[in-house]
């Protein structure tokens, strides 16, 4: 019984750390959400609405995956819980990749 609980400890630690990092990302999101309404400075367009809705919908992603990760951890599906907890960072990873690639293409003059 004790070996089973000790084998779950790294997963529990990862869940806690990843959830704290996801919470920290929501503080940065709060700033971005406040600034996102400036998309309407040049007028109300469909692109501006799409941008604002995408920015404002961000918290749904980490909250949903955090809930799913804890539910699967409670059901003793440790690997799935770790994967779901890691997926909370997928939007941030995609954003970083887009920024790096756009900077790379800008430097190439494309």
């Amino acid at each position: 019984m004790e070996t089973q609980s000790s084998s779950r400890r790294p997963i529990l630690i990862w869940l806690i750390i990843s959830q704290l990092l996801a919470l920290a990302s929501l503080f940065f999101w709060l700033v971005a959400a406040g600034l996102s309404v400036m998309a309407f400075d040049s007028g109300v367009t469909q692109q501006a609405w799409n941008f604002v809705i995408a920015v404002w919908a961000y918290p749904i992603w980490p909250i949903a995956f955090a809930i799913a990760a804890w539910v699967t951890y409670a059901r003793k599906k440790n690997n799935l819980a770790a994967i779901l907890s890691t997926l909370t960072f997928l939007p941030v990873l995609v954003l970083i990749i887009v920024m790096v690639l756009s900077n790379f293409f800008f430097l190439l003059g494309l």
Side-chain angles (χ1 to χ4, degrees):
M1 184 79 165
E2 185 136 344
T3 59
Q4 185 179 13
S5 66
S6 66
S7 68
R8 290 177 52 126
R9 183 165 289 149
I11 302 295
L12 178 62
I13 291 170
W14 171 242
L15 285 174
I16 292 169
I17 290 172
S18 65
Q19 303 309 308
L20 290 174
L21 290 173
L23 181 65
S25 78
L26 293 178
F27 290 116
F28 294 109
W29 166 82
L30 189 58
V31 173
L35 295 174
S36 69
V37 295
M38 292 191 322
F40 296 111
D41 284 353
S42 62
V44 178
T45 63
Q46 186 62 44
Q47 290 82 8
W49 275 110
N50 292 343
F51 176 75
V52 170
I53 290 171
V55 169
W56 280 65
Y58 168 74
I60 296 169
W61 185 273
I63 291 169
F65 277 103
I67 292 169
W70 285 107
V71 168
T72 54
Y73 181 77
R75 293 182 179 169
K76 299 188 187 317
K77 297 179 181 176
N78 298 336
N79 292 336
L80 182 58
I83 291 169
L84 290 173
S85 187
T86 304
L87 286 177
T88 60
F89 303 110
L90 189 61
V92 176
L93 180 62
V94 169
L95 177 63
I96 291 170
I97 291 171
V98 167
M99 288 175 18
V100 168
L101 288 177
S102 65
N103 190 29
F104 178 72
F105 289 132
F106 176 75
L107 291 175
L108 289 177
L110 299 176

